[in-house]
Amino acid sequence: MSRSSKGVRLYLRKGRRKPNGARLPDRYFIRDGEIEIGTGCGPDRREGPGGAEEQLAEYILRKSAQPVQADPDTERQRRSNPAQVYVAEVLAEYASGPALRLAHPDKEASFIETLLPWWEDKTLADVKRSNCLAYVDKRVADPNRAFKDPASAPRVSTSTARRELECLQTAISKWHEEHHLAVVPIVVLPEKPETPRDALTRDMAARLLKAALGYRFTEAAGPVRPGRLRPGIWTRLSLSSRQNRRHLARFLLISVYTGSRSGVTTAALWEASPRNPWADVNTGVMYRRGRDVRDHRNKLRPVVAFPDRLLAHLRRWRRLDQARGVNAVIHFHGEPVQRLKRTFRSCVEDAGLSGDISPHWMRHTSATWLMKGGADIWAAAGFLGMSATTLVNNYGHHRPDFQDDVRNRFGYAKPGTISGTSAGESDRRFRIV
């Protein structure tokens, strides 16, 4: 069976060595099937103006956009009429302008590439509830392109389809800002699923870390102590399997002990960068975004201080990587790691844990452990890069003093009376039935 296309994407090619032994730098290439286009950008220029992501977005735009020829005298009126404006025009203008100013234009370019086959022959007048829901139904039946075999690949999630329609919604909004549509169509989104805030226990985290170090767990029969995992037997994997998982051990420790999002952890470098996050082991902090990257209101990325138990590991890892000429904190045999879902999934399976565990669980785990440890709300929120309200609403119930001020306030008044009544009202007592 032939492999399904992964679509247009960025590929980081490891620099080759010249005959004289000099090593060429790593460079990003745009891959589109058998086509490869060099960007001239290394790992430190993935984002930002002229970066690899911007070049990828421009390539997808040139490949997918269908320019519409129109009479210049009637162009302004046409662009304000939803029945005469094609969705492909709207997406093309969005991809070539506003989308390039986002933090991750390559993600928007990927959404646009996915939206075009369904919407390119439709006008803005066709953007309505029935077509939006039909698009969602079509997408949730599609296989995930990240998997080689479409037959066994999981289907696209509703959340992904919703995010793609949000991209369409933003594109229409930007078009309206520029051309003033007579009627702005409404993009009907599927209901946003409730995000679970599940976290690892200490036992689960230890088991996952041991699997990342190259072991496989097999459950054993017997009783299980309350609150503990079922005991079992650990089997050591082959040398190559252990080496292929070394980057996961780093990812787990950094993610849990800093609460950083997986995208920040995997993109981190050892040296200061204008675009990438970087770890400064001399001062003991991690800059979650490059110097030239602006922060976002909904996904804050403040500087975080490394815990002492993690900083010792980081300094040792940096010495090892410097000796090999590797700048990426999380790397696979020297090459930066962009995605680790598959390796992470196999690690979870070898640890004997639930398949629902994802890399983002590490952030939930960090927040949960901080609350269980009684950390100050504002300090913990700044450490994690989230608002204090979000922290309290989603993780506050893990605090050991959760609702202590109110949960034992019942029954202080004299039985059968309402607290606060005066002595002259003693004959008007209420009894609890």
Side-chain angles (χ1 to χ4, degrees), residues 366-385:
S366 182
T368 300
W369 288 7
L370 287 175
M371 292 297 94
K372 285 184 176 180
D376 178 76
I377 294 293
W378 286 99
F383 181 89
L384 295 166

Side-chain angles (χ1 to χ4, degrees), residues 308-375:
D308 292 340
R309 62 176 63 187
L310 176 62
L311 187 57
H313 290 294
L314 287 165
R315 287 171 174 164
R316 175 171 55 86
W317 294 338
R318 185 171 186 263
R319 288 195 302 269
L320 294 173
D321 289 346
Q322 279 185 323
R324 299 175 56 191
V326 178
N327 190 30
V329 177
I330 309 296
H331 61 87
F332 182 79
H333 298 298
E335 295 188 8
V337 175
Q338 302 300 331
R339 295 178 180 271
L340 42 72
K341 287 186 177 180
R342 293 187 190 177
T343 313
F344 188 89
R345 189 180 299 111
S346 65
C347 185
V348 170
E349 182 179 347
D350 284 348
L353 300 175
S354 170
D356 294 333
I357 297 176
S358 68
H360 196 65
W361 274 46
M362 304 307 109
R363 180 166 169 81
H364 298 319
T365 300
S366 182
T368 300
W369 288 7
L370 287 175
M371 292 297 94
K372 285 184 176 180

Side-chain angles (χ1 to χ4, degrees), residues 8 30 32 35 37 55-63:
V8 185
I30 298 173
D32 186 5
I35 300 175
I37 302 174
Q55 294 185 45
L56 174 65
E58 291 175 350
Y59 173 82
I60 293 175
L61 171 62
R62 291 195 301 268
K63 175 184 175 183

